[in-house]
Amino acid sequence: MTGAGRGLGAAIAKELAQRTIHVVCVSRSQNCEKISKEITMTGGTAEAIMVDVSDGKTVELACEKLLERHGTIDILVNNAGIARDALLIRMDEGDWDDVIRTNLSSCFYWTKHLLRGMVQNRWGRIVNISSVVGKIGNFGQANYAAAKAGMVGFTKSVAKEVASRGICVNVVAPGFIESDMTAGLPEKVMEEIKKNVPMKRMGIPDDVAHAVSFLCSEEARYITGTVLTVDGGMTM
Ligand code: NAP
């Protein structure tokens, strides 16, 4: 479970733990330890590892250690993400690369290293957290939208490759959800967003967590290669 240190990832980690799933909380900082402790203190089981998901070699080493410890990892949720917004004309290459590597390349790294065990086990669930921005684009977010749209193509391709092995690979595409990522938006922009959402509110992290939890369940066994949008009707 990447990006488990706060926001949507923390909510997803706690939701999965409630379903008696042992959760490996991954984040860049020590935030993952806090969430892992919260899970164990409330009766679940979890562990924390600090990994920069944008670095392929670091992810590979982390996966090796996890596989040594656990044999296989049954469920992978690629949630870690960043935004570095700027109008394209002012966007520098660093902001492009950081966003593509953190949001999109990270999915490739984790999936590549954890998929083999799922194939051998004939069971697995992979959920990639994209965004409605990957579908409709957004001012100042060409890098983010490209990464999030890329995740959809990636998901559908991998889903086709492993569908016959009992592995479901899906995308959850949230709309605007209350978290650190959206906390910095000006009040005026927030009001405008709410006006455009048929449900007239921002989502909360639990709204996303419930969707992810379902896609990770046994009951979701005939659902693969799909995009589940969680946006209060904004992009229907
Ligand atoms: P957030 O509050 O900013 O949290 C991001 C999480 O990702 C943090 O735990 C952070 O680690 C981790 N992370 C970032 N870069 C990382 C790296 N290089 N290596 C390891 N971990 C890294 O974001 P959020 O709002 O919860 O968003 C979670 C996901 O949902 C993202 O992929 C985002 O694009 C997507 N999404 C969010 C919204 C929204 O409205 N919030 C809408 C659509 C999609 P630390 O805790 O250590 O900093």
Side-chain angles (χ1 to χ4, degrees), residues 3-9 26-31 51-54 79-82 102-103 129-132 144 148 174-182:
R6 31 201 181 95
L8 278 55
V26 177
S27 68
R28 190 174 30 188
S29 73
Q30 287 176 338
N31 287 341
V51 179
D52 178 355
V53 302
S54 69
N79 163 80
I82 55 165
T102 307
N103 294 277
I129 309 299
S130 174
S131 166
V132 292
Y144 185 77
K148 294 305 192 187
F176 288 98
I177 312 293
E178 289 169 7
S179 79
D180 290 352
M181 195 176 264
T182 48

Side-chain angles (χ1 to χ4, degrees), residues 44-169:
T45 71
E47 64 191 83
I49 48 169
M50 277 164 54
V51 179
D52 178 355
V53 302
S54 69
D55 180 16
K57 197 69 209 164
T58 310
V59 174
E60 186 179 353
L61 290 174
C63 289
E64 275 172 17
K65 280 192 192 146
L66 284 174
L67 292 173
E68 264 170 35
R69 207 176 313 147
H70 296 289
T72 53
I73 300 290
D74 300 320
I75 298 172
L76 167 64
V77 181
N78 285 304
N79 163 80
I82 55 165
R84 296 274 182 274
D85 299 353
L87 290 178
L88 186 74
I89 213 146
R90 292 196 206 112
M91 188 178 288
D92 65 37
E93 218 176 309
D95 288 343
W96 173 267
D97 286 342
D98 284 351
V99 168
I100 298 292
R101 277 194 288 115
T102 307
N103 294 277
L104 177 60
S105 304
S106 62
C107 294
F108 164 68
Y109 304 142
W110 287 100
T111 307
K112 183 174 163 59
H113 298 302
L114 297 180
L115 194 60
R116 192 184 300 270
M118 294 183 193
V119 169
Q120 282 163 355
N121 249 3
R122 294 284 192 272
W123 200 93
R125 297 285 183 268
I126 300 173
V127 179
N128 297 320
I129 309 299
S130 174
S131 166
V132 292
V133 166
K135 187 159 75 166
I136 60 174
N138 201 14
F139 263 86
Q141 291 200 308
N143 49 0
Y144 185 77
K148 294 305 192 187
M151 288 170 77
V152 176
F154 173 80
T155 300
K156 287 175 185 277
S157 302
V158 180
K160 284 190 172 167
E161 290 181 18
V162 296
S164 63
R165 311 297 162 104
I167 304 168
C168 303
V169 192

